[in-house]
Amino acid sequence: MSRVLPAEGGLRRIIGDGHALPDGEVEGLSSEQLLELYRHLVLLRTYDDRSVVYHRQGRIGTYAIYWNHEAMQVGSAFALEKRDWIFPSYRESAIGLLRGMPPSTVLSWWRGHPAGWWSPEEYGVASICVPIATHVPHAVGYAWGSRLKGEDRVALAYFGDGATSEGAFHEGATFAGVMQAPVILFCNNNQWAISTPVSEQTAAATLADKAIGYGMPAIRVDGGDVLAVYEATREAVDRARSGAGPTFIEAVTYRAAPHATADDPSVYIDQERVEEERENECVGRYERYLLRKGVLTDSLALEIRAEAFELMRAGIAQAEAEPPADVSLVFEHAYADPPPSLADELAELRRVLGA
Ligand SMILES: Cc1ncc(C[n+]2csc(CCOP(=O)(O)OP(=O)(O)O)c2C)c(N)n1
Ligand SMILES: [Mg+2]
């Protein structure tokens, strides 16, 4: 068993603060893997930073910022095998990058361009789910189905604190518990559902408490600690693979960026808490840990950041080089027999656009 240090507030933690809080470590992780985690964090951070810039430049549409959620995404995805499936929400839009998806694909998604559609089978990453929690039953059904087929796969669904109030979450979690599906329900508790605080979502003391009602174990972890998230998810994956059923993971953080580029959190958020979170943001926290351990050097960190930046520069150029999509796509794939009014609307759209 790996060493988990006593944590504040019942949250698992591995990374110390370089002062009073000592560093722990995760058993079985090599220096190469520790650096791989860093590369993944930097890749996602760079994607997010650049996307906010591209949005401001009018090059992508409204964008769901995930700044300081990277440790939750990277730590959990790293605990999966390639054959395992990921079911992301809009907050994990770029998770496919960790599976080799080109940035241009995700950027195209945010540009509303069909080049942003990918084959879930190719990457083991389902479509980005924007309706809150509706992908939870998908992930559970996928996991259960794959078990019935005798495959050795695990599914992981990402969702937020607000999603735990949705019927679809309840349906999925109930099903997962009853069928003992090999699934991980990964909740990013950033304490806000846009402007609704978690205290208005539930009277439960913690979101992890909800798992009891579904008959599954829960782990609460510091969402800013990539190693603690990795370790917690690895345990959940082992449980699922061994036939012991689902696990609920509550990764706790505090949303330190706007909900999305269309949001102004200054009217509702606790600014002091945001400042605290920004000072202790997850990429820097892990970077300092690796420097303390002597696994990372300043020059290697610079190199890794430059690589990620270049990947994004090439990615946006590639996304922008896509020829405009045929507008008829907006009308296709919804009906087997489209009503005649749709043909009129398409004709009107073509007339307006001159397309
Ligand atoms: C079914 C549904 N209802 C409402 C919305 C509008 N909406 C978009 S994001 C959001 C908040 C979700 O909060 P949470 O689940 O905590 O996820 P977070 O955005 O914090 O990652 C809501 C209500 C939606 N997308 N889908
Ligand atoms: Mg939330």
Side-chain angles (χ1 to χ4, degrees):
M1 257 323 274
S2 45
R3 238 170 357 116
V4 179
L5 300 176
E8 325 92 291
L11 299 181
R12 286 197 192 197
R13 177 189 62 77
I14 304 279
I15 300 176
D17 63 0
H19 304 287
L21 277 180
D23 285 327
E25 51 189 54
V26 180
E27 203 176 281
L29 273 185
S30 65
S31 297
E32 286 70 36
Q33 288 173 309
L34 289 172
L35 278 178
E36 190 66 6
L37 277 169
Y38 178 70
R39 274 201 182 83
H40 285 185
L41 282 176
V42 170
L43 180 58
L44 286 195
R45 170 62 54 86
T46 309
Y47 181 95
D48 189 69
D49 281 347
R50 296 310 299 158
S51 289
V52 173
V53 173
Y54 298 151
H55 167 76
R56 291 192 180 134
Q57 295 172 337
R59 301 164 87 179
I60 63 170
T62 301
Y63 169 69
I65 304 159
Y66 58 75
W67 193 89
N68 204 30
H69 288 58
E70 295 89 345
M72 297 184 272
Q73 302 180 8
V74 166
S76 51
F78 203 70
L80 299 172
E81 298 291 335
K82 258 258 142 87
R83 64 185 180 282
D84 299 330
W85 269 49
I86 294 171
F87 290 75
S89 83
Y90 51 83
R91 192 70 69 207
E92 297 79 27
S93 65
I95 198 93
L97 266 54
L98 306 182
R99 295 247 169 124
M101 189 183 290
S104 60
T105 302
V106 193
L107 288 165
S108 291
W109 192 89
W110 287 108
R111 283 166 62 78
H113 192 284
W117 301 341
W118 63 81
S119 156
E121 268 202 309
E122 191 178 345
Y123 299 103
V125 179
S127 306
I128 298 166
C129 189
V130 177
I132 307 300
T134 57
H135 57 313
V136 176
H138 301 167
V140 175
Y142 177 87
W144 182 47
S146 110
R147 183 99 188 268
L148 291 178
K149 290 204 265 181
E151 300 166 345
D152 181 31
R153 290 181 208 267
V154 168
L156 184 150
Y158 291 107
F159 51 88
D161 42 293
T164 66
S165 298
E166 289 284 350
F169 166 78
H170 173 67
E171 287 149 20
T174 299
F175 201 77
V178 171
M179 307 319 271
Q180 290 286 283
V183 70
I184 296 151
L185 304 183
F186 191 103
C187 179
N188 100 63
N189 178 4
N190 61 14
Q191 305 188 43
W192 292 95
I194 313 185
S195 55
T196 303
V198 73
S199 57
E200 287 181 29
Q201 295 286 350
T202 180
T206 74
L207 295 178
D209 286 347
K210 294 194 179 200
I212 299 168
Y214 300 108
M216 67 178 84
I219 307 175
R220 290 191 90 215
V221 62
D222 179 341
D225 183 332
V226 67
L227 293 178
V229 171
Y230 165 74
E231 191 188 61
T233 313
R234 189 171 72 178
E235 273 176 41
V237 169
D238 288 349
R239 278 177 51 76
R241 237 189 275 288
S242 69
T247 303
F248 181 90
I249 296 178
E250 179 188 357
V252 181
T253 181
Y254 189 88
R255 211 192 67 220
H259 167 75
T261 46
D263 177 39
D264 174 10
S266 67
V267 295
Y268 61 84
I269 211 137
D270 176 348
Q271 203 49 49
E272 263 180 39
R273 186 74 179 76
V274 167
E275 290 311 321
E276 249 174 61
E277 212 45 53
R278 295 189 81 86
E279 264 178 34
N280 203 24
E281 58 82 19
C282 65
V283 180
R285 219 201 281 190
Y286 186 55
E287 191 172 290
R288 292 190 294 276
Y289 173 88
L290 292 183
L291 290 169
R292 285 197 293 276
K293 294 253 164 222
V295 171
L296 182 69
T297 58
D298 286 332
S299 63
L300 182 56
L302 276 178
E303 209 179 286
I304 291 172
R305 278 189 237 135
E307 253 170 47
F309 191 90
E310 178 50 28
L311 202 67
M312 286 304 295
R313 201 202 50 74
I316 192 71
Q318 199 182 333
E320 287 180 330
E322 288 290 342
D326 180 348
V327 293
S328 65
L329 275 171
V330 175
F331 297 83
E332 287 169 1
H333 309 296
Y335 293 94
D337 301 309
S341 59
L342 277 193
D344 296 344
E345 287 177 27
L346 175 57
E348 166 136 19
L349 185 61
R350 283 198 192 287
R351 190 180 53 74
V352 171
L353 295 174

